[in-house]
Amino acid sequence: MTSALEYWPSPPPWGWVADDLDRLPSEGPNGEPDFFKHVELIDGALLFMSPQKRFHERMIRGLTNRLNAISPPDLVAVQQMDVKLGHRTRPCPDVVIIDAQAADDDDRTYYLPAEVRLAVEVVSPESEERDRKVKPLRYAEAGIPHFWRVEQGEGTPVVYVYELDPATGVYALTGIHHGAFQVRVPFEISIDLGDLPR
């Protein structure tokens, strides 16, 4: 009798690299469809994302729709697309604002940091450490100018807004927002978190 582990993709001798994500099988070790669909590569390690909660889905969909409704013509918000930060790091932010020219290419499986203006992570219990500490560090190192972290507060979403400090190369917290908020970068944004679709 064969083990299900025999059917898992084996890492190459040199370890996983960002381009390997495009070569993963579509099915899991027991024939599960889309098993490898929600996989990230962080510092050479494959990470499987847990099933998302309704809060997570609602924030992703609502923010993507709202950002697209108010973005200038040269920018587009997309959800759950990879960003290739380096040879061994390819996270999948929940929402990114990218250059419209990059968004026009329907064959893309990832974007480059230079094409990303804002990365948004919606925190879930299993991703808390990565979304609070690891990913912001990697996004900043790659030069992505803006980062938002969305968390579930006491009955309302909370958005932590960060901007890259060009002198230090790290993110500086520019605001913590409950409910409605406005920011001026990467463009004029006004969002009422309470009005996002339910």
Side-chain angles (χ1 to χ4, degrees):
M1 181 173 178
T2 58
S3 165
L5 291 177
E6 291 180 34
Y7 298 103
W8 279 65
S10 299
W14 52 87
W16 296 108
V17 296
D19 291 336
D20 290 333
L21 269 63
D22 290 325
R23 295 186 284 271
L24 289 173
S26 59
E27 293 185 344
N30 297 305
E32 303 92 338
D34 296 329
F35 186 81
F36 293 100
K37 182 178 180 180
H38 298 293
V39 176
E40 298 182 293
L41 183 70
I42 306 292
D43 298 331
L46 284 183
L47 300 174
F48 291 81
M49 293 176 248
S50 65
Q52 66 181 356
K53 293 185 177 180
R54 171 70 172 127
F55 171 80
H56 198 264
E57 184 273 338
R58 185 167 62 88
M59 289 297 105
I60 292 172
R61 184 168 44 89
L63 286 171
T64 303
N65 291 343
R66 179 64 181 145
L67 289 167
N68 274 324
I70 61 176
S71 65
D74 62 329
L75 297 176
V76 174
V78 298
Q79 60 190 44
Q80 297 181 319
M81 285 290 293
D82 292 359
V83 179
K84 186 178 178 181
L85 301 181
H87 187 57
R88 294 191 184 277
T89 302
R90 184 171 154 176
C92 182
D94 291 312
V95 181
V96 287
I97 292 179
I98 58 171
D99 297 333
Q101 185 175 3
D104 286 342
D105 185 351
D106 286 339
D107 292 327
R108 297 283 292 269
T109 59
Y110 63 83
Y111 299 107
L112 299 173
E115 298 168 321
V116 179
R117 307 290 182 88
L118 167 68
V120 181
E121 293 289 357
V122 180
V123 177
S124 59
E126 64 86 22
S127 71
E128 187 175 276
E129 189 80 5
R130 290 192 305 277
D131 292 344
R132 288 179 174 179
K133 297 178 181 178
V134 179
K135 288 186 180 181
L137 179 63
R138 296 293 177 260
Y139 294 149
E141 289 172 344
I144 294 174
H146 304 282
F147 172 70
W148 294 0
R149 190 180 79 243
V150 182
E151 300 203 12
Q152 191 169 12
E154 295 292 325
T156 182
V158 181
V159 179
Y160 299 81
V161 175
Y162 298 84
E163 187 171 346
L164 188 64
D165 181 343
T168 63
V170 298
Y171 286 128
L173 180 67
T174 61
I176 301 174
H177 305 279
H178 306 255
F181 72 99
Q182 293 183 327
V183 294
R184 302 187 75 175
V185 288
F187 56 91
E188 290 280 351
I189 296 172
S190 177
I191 294 179
D192 186 342
L193 298 170
D195 280 349
L196 295 181
R198 291 204 168 271

